[in-house]
Amino acid sequence: MTQYVAAVDQGTTSTRCMIFDHAGRVVSVDQLEHRQIFPQAGWVEHDAEEIWENTRRVAAGALAKADLVNADIAVVGITNQRETTVVWDRTTGRPVYNAIVWQDTRTDEICQKLGGLGGGQERYRTTTGLPLATYFSGPKIKWILDNVEGVRARAEAGQLAFGNMDTWLLWNMTGGPEGGVHVTEPTNASRTLLMDLDTLSWDADICAEMGIPMSMLPEIRSSSEVYGKVRHRGALGDRPIAGILGDQQAATFGQACLSVGEAKNTYGTGNFVLLNTGTEKVMSENGLLTTVCYKLDGKDAVYALEGSIAVTGSLVQWLRDNLGLIGSADEVEKLASEVEDNGGAYFVPAFSGLFAPYWRADARGAIVGLTRFVNRGHLARAVLEATAYQTREVIDAMNADSGVPLKSLKVDGGMVVNELLMQFQADILGVPVIRPVVNETTALGAAYAAGLAVDFWSGEDDIRSNWAKDKEWDPKMGDAQRESLYADWKKAVTKTFDWVKRS
């Protein structure tokens, strides 16, 4: 009897394979980082072939660490960094260019020109739920077609395929040039600026306007169904692949936010708050994204409001790697704990512009409020507080759009082990912050989606019963102090605007 589910979690900085039992507990994990490629300011790339190689290695490693064989695995799920764009040759399997990462801002001019056709940043929102921004896949595909020699002609001849990382991995895992399945699902497709949110199909008019041949695009299937089997010679060989969710939707699923009004916040490279709005999509009037939360096979799509924050955990990495103020990411809490507050310093990490609720590609990072009193500890604290303040901005927008004030916030991701941050998050929101026993819920959500498709789990109630609270932080800060600190943060954000001259 197969007892376990495997999930490939392909993230912005690393790829891992996690194996779960029926109770949703982690049995094994193997993880490898991949290179971050910065060809010039504002450009961020990944080597898609390196990521595929790492995927094979971590799948084998996770099995080995638990002393398991393929037959012990019932099914495989995939979750992935969304928006990151790969275009490859269907015959050779080779990418025509590095993967362009979701953080990359090189497509700003493309977005301006498209917006100039009418409607500006709102041009495609009614159809796609998204603003016209560098964040999404469509403009990245257009950039590759327009700037890599010979690629457009090959695309128009039907020789090339596009995918976010979910599609790239699924295609390779199911055989690549030898019969690989070219498929995605709505949570990823809804991040391209090319999918109609109502029909869950590619929009021919938007594709034509961006000059993207529709032959490049994968088939859109549900988030939970059998897509194919892992190629025979690979780790996890012959196991069905039956669930795909973009990373933030996967975390929402793993947190069991399956009812209208439930929300989670994932603290990773960036922060992503998702609020389940049910089968009715809610169009934001406050700078949020309307996106697909998940779609189970044979059921209506469930939608979400999302607040996307570009830089949170990666700011701690920047403090470590670029400034050398800490030796490892977990040292930031100790350093920040050496001071009682931020000393008046605020750090707005608009390294690649600002995402929700501002959508300002012209913004750049700033540290404001500096005096000679400020030391390393204050800067470390300002780094952590930046994550909490940005989350507050998104929650405020979410409350305004939904009309239902958030009563508590479920949290997950790497940064939730930082207790100083979690307490400050509760303080600045004024609501409890709740961490689950399994805080790496992204991979768990992909495992659930896959397991549901093959009846490893019987239904959504199984997922709800697996969720368990580990710790809760209640707000301790008074209202006056909370609003005073937040007002200074909002003032600091304005100092980052209009930094980049736009053509």
Side-chain angles (χ1 to χ4, degrees), residues 41-44 103-109 134 140 352-353 361 364:
W43 293 29
V44 189
Q103 301 154 310
D104 189 286
T105 59
R106 77 185 68 185
T107 59
D108 187 40
E109 185 176 345
T134 61
K140 300 180 196 297
S352 54
R364 286 298 178 268

Side-chain angles (χ1 to χ4, degrees), residues 18-46:
M18 300 185 76
I19 297 175
F20 297 93
D21 64 14
H22 193 271
R25 292 181 297 240
V26 178
V27 174
S28 176
V29 59
D30 198 42
Q31 182 167 349
L32 286 170
E33 291 191 359
H34 53 264
R35 290 177 299 139
Q36 305 296 311
I37 303 165
F38 305 104
Q40 56 182 275
W43 293 29
V44 189
E45 298 176 359
H46 291 157

Side-chain angles (χ1 to χ4, degrees), residues 358-437:
Y358 299 101
W359 299 105
R360 296 288 296 254
D362 61 344
R364 286 298 178 268
I367 306 174
V368 303
L370 292 178
T371 64
R372 291 193 65 183
F373 173 70
V374 173
N375 61 31
R376 295 167 68 246
H378 295 115
L379 288 181
R381 195 171 186 108
V383 162
L384 294 180
E385 290 183 357
T387 294
Y389 285 125
Q390 291 180 98
T391 299
R392 164 75 187 269
E393 290 184 305
V394 166
I395 294 295
D396 283 357
M398 207 161 269
N399 289 342
D401 276 335
S402 68
V404 182
L406 191 74
K407 290 184 171 61
S408 66
L409 183 67
K410 290 181 176 180
V411 299
D412 56 74
M415 293 181 81
V416 301
V417 298
N418 190 311
E419 304 224 353
L420 186 153
L421 170 59
M422 292 297 98
Q423 182 58 57
F424 189 77
Q425 185 70 86
D427 286 340
I428 211 66
L429 287 177
V431 301
V433 168
I434 303 169
R435 181 176 70 195
V437 170

Side-chain angles (χ1 to χ4, degrees), residues 7 84 90 109 174 246 305 339 414 420 446-447 465 471-472 491 495:
T84 294
R90 294 179 184 273
E109 185 176 345
T174 53
L305 281 171
V339 294
L420 186 153
S465 64
K471 186 164 183 176
E472 180 173 326
K491 183 164 61 176
K495 307 303 180 187

Side-chain angles (χ1 to χ4, degrees), residues 251-268:
T252 308
F253 211 69
Q255 281 274 38
C257 293
L258 305 176
S259 299
V260 176
E262 293 183 323
K264 69 86 202 178
N265 190 18
T266 298
Y267 296 72

Side-chain angles (χ1 to χ4, degrees), residues 95-209:
V96 301
Y97 188 79
N98 278 339
I100 301 180
V101 180
W102 57 272
Q103 301 154 310
D104 189 286
T105 59
R106 77 185 68 185
T107 59
D108 187 40
E109 185 176 345
I110 289 173
C111 292
Q112 287 187 67
K113 287 181 178 178
L114 289 169
L117 299 175
Q121 205 170 46
E122 301 301 298
R123 181 166 181 79
Y124 305 125
R125 189 185 286 274
T126 301
T127 302
T128 68
L130 310 175
L132 180 51
T134 61
Y135 184 19
F136 305 110
S137 309
K140 300 180 196 297
I141 303 170
K142 178 173 171 56
W143 187 93
I144 292 172
L145 295 178
D146 289 347
N147 290 277
V148 182
E149 186 176 355
V151 162
R152 178 167 290 284
R154 292 163 66 191
E156 290 173 351
Q159 298 170 11
L160 303 184
F162 150 76
N164 292 342
M165 279 295 170
D166 64 310
T167 301
W168 167 247
L169 291 185
L170 178 66
W171 187 80
N172 279 294
M173 291 173 76
T174 53
E178 300 172 4
V181 176
H182 189 214
V183 160
T184 189
E185 51 71 59
T187 72
N188 273 286
S190 67
R191 314 300 294 201
T192 60
L193 263 177
L194 303 175
M195 190 193 85
D196 185 310
L197 269 185
D198 290 316
T199 64
L200 306 187
S201 59
W202 302 118
D203 187 281
D205 291 338
I206 297 176
C207 289
E209 201 160 276

